[in-house]
């Protein structure tokens, strides 16, 4: 079974530029998550989708971050414009859906963003 | 609100020695608890999870964790460290009302030959 795919793996941009990350979840997984992992910290949830609808985006900085999952499969996370503090690894995860601990999240390898 | 505290951002053990990584949680409702491992340049992999079925949970690669409600702890152990165990370990909590994970800050495990 193929895992969660993310691209690009690495990205270096200058502040105030725009950047986009792509995620393709495991086939059949209804729920998709984007996390931000700053160096030395644990992942922090940015946004959660159930199919193509947003379940939770309370921690997404909406003035500069946006995300979409138009067809309920793959997803794009965008930052416009980027700030220095956005330097982090952006992790995508997916799960079958539903609630509770049996709804295991599977993580992709992440995209490491460096903002200069 | 729920939170996780991992004591010790870095832990160093010798190969063959006991591994003990500490995790304390705060949750207003009975939680689900998880340990994930992250190898360099990779995503997170689930090691084990507590779902209230048994307080001692066994996971992959010889790891286990014990849920202690009185101590609000879920420490991760392994009897004998292997060089391949060197990685970052994250404890996470999920309320049984939802599916949102809250992670601790992580502990980097180093294994000396």
């Amino acid at each position: 079974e193929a895992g969660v795919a993310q691209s690009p793996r690495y990205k270096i941009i200058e502040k105030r530029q725009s950047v986009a990350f792509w995620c393709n979840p495991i086939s059949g997984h209804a729920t998709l998550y984007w996390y931000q992992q700053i160096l030395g910290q644990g992942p922090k949830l940015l946004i959660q989708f159930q199919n193509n609808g947003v379940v939770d985006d309370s921690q997404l900085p909406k003035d500069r971050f946006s995300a979409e999952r138009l067809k309920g499969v793959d997803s794009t996370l965008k930052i416009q414009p980027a700030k220095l503090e956005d330097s982090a690894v952006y992790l995508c995860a997916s799960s079958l859906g539903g609630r509770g601990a049996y709804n295991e999240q599977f993580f992709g390898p992440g995209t490491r963003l460096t903002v200069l | 609100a729920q939170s996780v505290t991992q004591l010790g951002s870095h832990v160093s053990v010798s190969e063959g020695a006991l591994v003990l990584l500490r995790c304390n949680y705060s949750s207003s409702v009975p939680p689900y608890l998880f340990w994930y491992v992250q190898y360099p340049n990779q995503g997170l992999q689930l090691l084990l999870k507590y779902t209230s079925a048994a307080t001692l949970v066994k996971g992959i690669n010889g790891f286990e964790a014990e849920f202690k409600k009185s101590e609000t702890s879920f420490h991760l152990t392994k009897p004998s460290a292997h060089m391949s165990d060197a990685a970052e370990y994250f404890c996470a909590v999920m309320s049984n009302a939802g599916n949102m994970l809250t992670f601790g800050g992580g502990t980097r495990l180093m294994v000396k030959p």
Side-chain angles (χ1 to χ4, degrees):
Chain A
E1 174 182 276
V4 177
Q6 291 189 246
S7 68
R9 292 295 312 276
Y10 305 91
K11 190 73 177 179
I12 300 174
I13 61 172
E14 295 188 351
K15 60 182 179 183
R16 291 188 290 274
Q17 286 187 322
S18 302
V19 65
F21 314 128
W22 174 82
C23 171
N24 190 28
I26 293 172
S27 178
H29 280 194
T31 309
L32 185 147
Y33 314 77
W34 282 103
Y35 290 86
Q36 180 191 58
Q37 185 179 16
I38 294 173
L39 186 65
Q41 299 181 19
K44 182 186 79 172
L45 180 69
L46 292 176
I47 188 167
Q48 176 184 338
F49 291 95
Q50 181 74 17
N51 296 309
N52 60 354
V54 176
V55 174
D56 186 339
D57 64 355
S58 57
Q59 300 192 86
L60 186 74
K62 298 181 186 64
D63 57 334
R64 297 183 301 106
F65 286 65
S66 64
E68 60 183 14
R69 194 184 183 200
L70 292 176
K71 296 182 179 179
V73 180
D74 56 353
S75 176
T76 303
L77 176 69
K78 297 180 180 178
I79 308 175
Q80 180 180 8
K83 293 185 175 182
L84 296 177
E85 59 261 35
D86 299 332
S87 293
V89 175
Y90 291 84
L91 295 166
C92 180
S94 70
S95 66
L96 281 170
R99 294 184 177 275
Y102 298 99
N103 184 30
E104 181 180 343
Q105 296 183 26
F106 294 84
F107 286 80
T111 296
R112 182 177 298 275
L113 173 67
T114 302
V115 182
L116 303 175
Chain B
Q2 51 197 24
S3 64
V4 174
T5 302
Q6 291 184 242
L7 295 176
S9 58
H10 293 79
V11 170
S12 181
V13 301
S14 297
E15 191 173 20
L18 172 72
V19 175
L20 171 60
L21 304 182
R22 300 178 185 274
C23 172
N24 288 88
Y25 69 90
S26 171
S27 177
S28 58
V29 296
Y32 298 129
L33 294 159
F34 303 77
W35 275 101
Y36 284 85
V37 61
Q38 186 176 34
Y39 298 101
N41 299 315
Q42 294 186 26
L44 279 70
Q45 180 184 4
L46 182 65
L47 273 178
L48 49 81
K49 62 185 176 185
Y50 166 73
T51 59
S52 76
T55 56
L56 182 62
V57 181
K58 295 187 184 296
I60 61 172
N61 301 340
F63 284 93
E64 63 181 35
E66 185 173 8
F67 173 69
K68 292 187 176 180
K69 184 178 179 180
S70 61
E71 299 177 7
T72 60
S73 69
F74 190 56
H75 301 331
L76 182 71
T77 60
K78 182 174 181 178
S80 177
H82 192 271
M83 296 296 291
S84 61
D85 294 327
E88 185 114 26
Y89 292 80
F90 292 94
C91 183
V93 62
M94 176 194 290
S95 76
N96 60 11
N99 57 7
M100 178 175 154
L101 284 171
T102 300
F103 287 87
T107 297
R108 182 168 298 278
L109 175 65
M110 294 166 284
V111 182
K112 299 175 291 185

